[in-house]
Amino acid sequence: METIYKDIIIIGAGPIGIACALECKKRNWDYTIIEKGALTNSLFNYPLNMTFFSTSEKLEIDDIPFISNNPKPTRNEALEYYRRVSTSNNLNINLYEKVLDINKAKNGFKIESDKAIYHSKKVIIASGFYDIPNLLNVPGEDLPKVFHYYKEAHPYTLQHIAVVGASNSSVDAALEIYRKGGNVTMIVRGNAIGERVKYWVKPDILNRIEEGSIKAYFNSEIKEIKATEIIVQTDEGEITIANDYVVALTGYRPNFKFLANAGIEFSQDAKHIPVYNPETMESNVEGLYLAGVICGGMETHKWFIENSRIHAKLIANHIENKKE
């Protein structure tokens, strides 16, 4: 296996990983981004028709203008923007390469991927949280009719669909499937639609529920998934609902095992927030930095592109200052 030496290895080619690469390039550091999937893999896996909550200028990195045709940019516009930023700046990015392990070495780090061995002075982890779904942990969840990601509505036309959750992703999926001819039932653990649902979408879902176009069971949970039905525990007792597909959009989590194997420590509570210095983004492992939404642990709603893009500059400034 090839051995490669670098100043900095960046793990993850999402918007924040790209921002980190731009900061490295400004300083003429020898860096490489390693990404296990496509460029901006999480954005690529978003629903085809997704619209961002943020305006385009809040998604910009390194003061490179993001021009959108809409008040709120779409997934396709964001993919085009980050793609052009990466290609126009000739960023050094290895796609479809998975990092398997990070080990602290005498003069830096040894990083093993499925394609090469890297030695670097510093490591930046900007791998996001979109790869590991929060499971329902109920019988039948392993059936092929159960999905933890949503791409588009067409496959669900004329089908009985259970959408689990009440977040932005759940609400968007429920509305789109309903409008494409699916029979939608929402299963919501809480007592209402989520507080953070986009303000221009929330009245729509509430009206559809009120008129009965979309059935919603609040304070409810799926207890079992079967081939043609689901068993739901509601606050009025257990019920059985006809079902063809379950779209369980119950959130995602960082790869905590990967981080722990690298030596990163976490808060001792349910939030499981990794330990890092918010002024420098350096973790408890010297020379290993965290950037982007991964910093939130289980609080995946705390960090977004718009409030974590500054991490790239904080990291680069700290590395630069330590060299002096």
Side-chain angles (χ1 to χ4, degrees), residues 31-292:
Y31 72 92
T32 293
I33 298 179
I34 305 176
E35 166 59 56
K36 69 180 178 308
L39 186 71
T40 60
N41 196 60
S42 293
L43 298 187
F44 171 71
N45 285 306
Y46 282 178
L48 295 180
N49 298 317
M50 194 208 79
T51 299
F52 281 86
F53 191 94
S54 301
T55 54
S56 59
E57 67 270 15
K58 292 182 179 180
L59 302 178
E60 293 174 354
I61 52 177
D62 201 39
D63 297 321
I64 300 171
F66 180 173
I67 307 301
S68 171
N69 295 322
N70 309 286
K72 308 284 186 180
T74 64
R75 164 191 174 272
N76 284 346
E77 288 178 317
L79 289 178
E80 177 67 16
Y81 171 72
Y82 295 116
R83 183 166 60 240
R84 290 297 300 273
V85 168
S86 300
T87 57
S88 298
N89 287 279
N90 296 311
L91 298 183
N92 189 10
I93 303 174
N94 293 353
L95 299 176
Y96 305 104
E97 180 176 355
K98 185 177 182 179
V99 174
L100 304 175
D101 201 15
I102 303 172
N103 286 293
K104 183 75 171 171
K106 184 176 181 181
N107 296 314
F109 296 87
K110 178 183 177 183
I111 302 98
E112 180 180 355
S113 81
D114 56 2
K115 295 184 179 179
I117 300 292
Y118 298 85
H119 292 273
S120 71
K121 299 172 185 176
K122 310 290 183 182
V123 173
I124 302 171
I125 301 179
S127 53
F129 66 86
Y130 199 57
D131 298 312
I132 303 176
N134 294 323
L135 299 179
L136 301 174
N137 294 314
V138 299
E141 190 171 10
D142 58 345
L143 290 172
K145 62 183 275 186
V146 180
F147 297 93
H148 293 280
Y149 297 88
Y150 171 75
K151 199 72 173 181
E152 60 178 322
H154 180 76
Y156 305 119
T157 299
L158 303 176
Q159 302 292 288
H160 294 282
I161 311 301
V163 176
V164 184
S167 63
N168 275 298
S169 57
S170 302
V171 168
D172 285 346
L175 287 170
E176 188 172 4
I177 293 170
Y178 155 68
R179 292 201 162 94
K180 299 299 183 183
N183 184 350
V184 179
T185 299
M186 296 186 73
I187 310 298
V188 182
R189 179 179 293 180
N191 60 8
I193 295 297
E195 294 181 359
R196 292 186 294 273
V197 168
K198 290 172 281 194
Y199 65 84
W200 66 92
V201 174
K202 196 167 188 177
D204 191 1
I205 188 64
L206 293 177
N207 287 334
R208 301 295 75 74
I209 292 172
E210 184 177 358
E211 71 187 14
S213 299
I214 294 174
K215 178 67 177 177
Y217 290 96
F218 296 102
N219 301 312
S220 301
E221 295 182 87
I222 292 180
K223 304 303 292 183
E224 185 176 357
I225 301 169
K226 299 184 177 182
T228 60
E229 60 190 21
I230 56 175
I231 310 300
V232 180
Q233 182 66 50
T234 75
D235 52 7
E236 296 181 357
E238 192 173 275
I239 62 173
T240 300
I241 302 173
N243 177 261
D244 297 303
Y245 292 99
V246 174
V247 181
L249 303 177
T250 49
Y252 309 91
R253 64 178 65 201
N255 189 336
F256 292 122
K257 183 178 180 181
F258 175 75
L259 296 176
N261 287 344
I264 293 175
E265 299 173 354
F266 301 88
S267 63
Q268 299 302 306
D269 55 28
K271 297 177 182 179
H272 213 59
I273 296 172
V275 174
Y276 66 93
N277 183 337
E279 296 180 358
T280 67
M281 308 311 297
E282 188 174 35
S283 72
N284 61 282
V285 179
E286 185 179 2
L288 196 162
Y289 297 82
L290 303 177

